Amino acid sequence: MKKVVINKKDLQNNLQIARNELTGKDDNGNKVKLIAVVKGNGMGLDIVEYSKFLVKNGIDCLAVATVDEAMALVEDGRKKPILILGVSFYDQFEA
């Protein structure tokens, strides 16, 4: 099995560079936000721990593939907005 190695210092630096570039406003005058896609369990990284690291380092919003991935983040206490990229069906949500 292949292994993904993330150098946290390099990722922190890259996030800071991206954050510094996002100084403008959107068409509605809101601050531009930085979103991180963590679908598919963050490339084999623990999606919850990886998301915590990203949020701690300036990510404004998280994107996932499925409702289950979103729920894992919500259940861990994520307060940032979560965008579900995949198809969601009504029966996947509790009434």
Side-chain angles (χ1 to χ4, degrees):
M1 181 168 147
K2 292 185 180 183
K3 183 177 177 182
V4 174
V5 177
I6 302 291
N7 181 309
K8 287 184 177 181
K9 293 226 183 260
D10 287 345
L11 181 54
Q12 286 172 320
N13 184 58
N14 290 345
L15 290 170
Q16 186 59 50
I17 290 168
R19 172 63 55 215
N20 291 341
E21 292 294 319
L22 297 175
T23 57
K25 305 267 184 190
D26 67 14
D27 292 339
N28 295 318
N30 300 312
K31 177 184 142 195
V32 175
K33 298 189 182 211
L34 189 58
I35 186 169
V37 178
V38 293
K39 67 182 191 70
N41 204 23
M43 297 181 293
L45 306 170
D46 182 302
I47 193 170
V48 172
E49 292 303 315
Y50 188 44
S51 295
K52 285 179 186 177
F53 176 84
L54 293 169
V55 168
K56 181 180 174 186
N57 286 279
I59 292 298
D60 299 306
C61 182
L62 298 163
V64 297
T66 67
V67 172
D68 289 339
E69 290 173 347
M71 292 307 299
L73 297 177
V74 169
E75 289 169 0
D76 187 60
R78 295 297 97 211
K79 301 288 187 217
K80 297 289 183 177
I82 300 170
L83 173 65
I84 301 172
L85 300 171
V87 175
S88 302
F89 298 101
Y90 183 78
D91 62 351
Q92 291 176 290
F93 300 94
E94 292 181 23

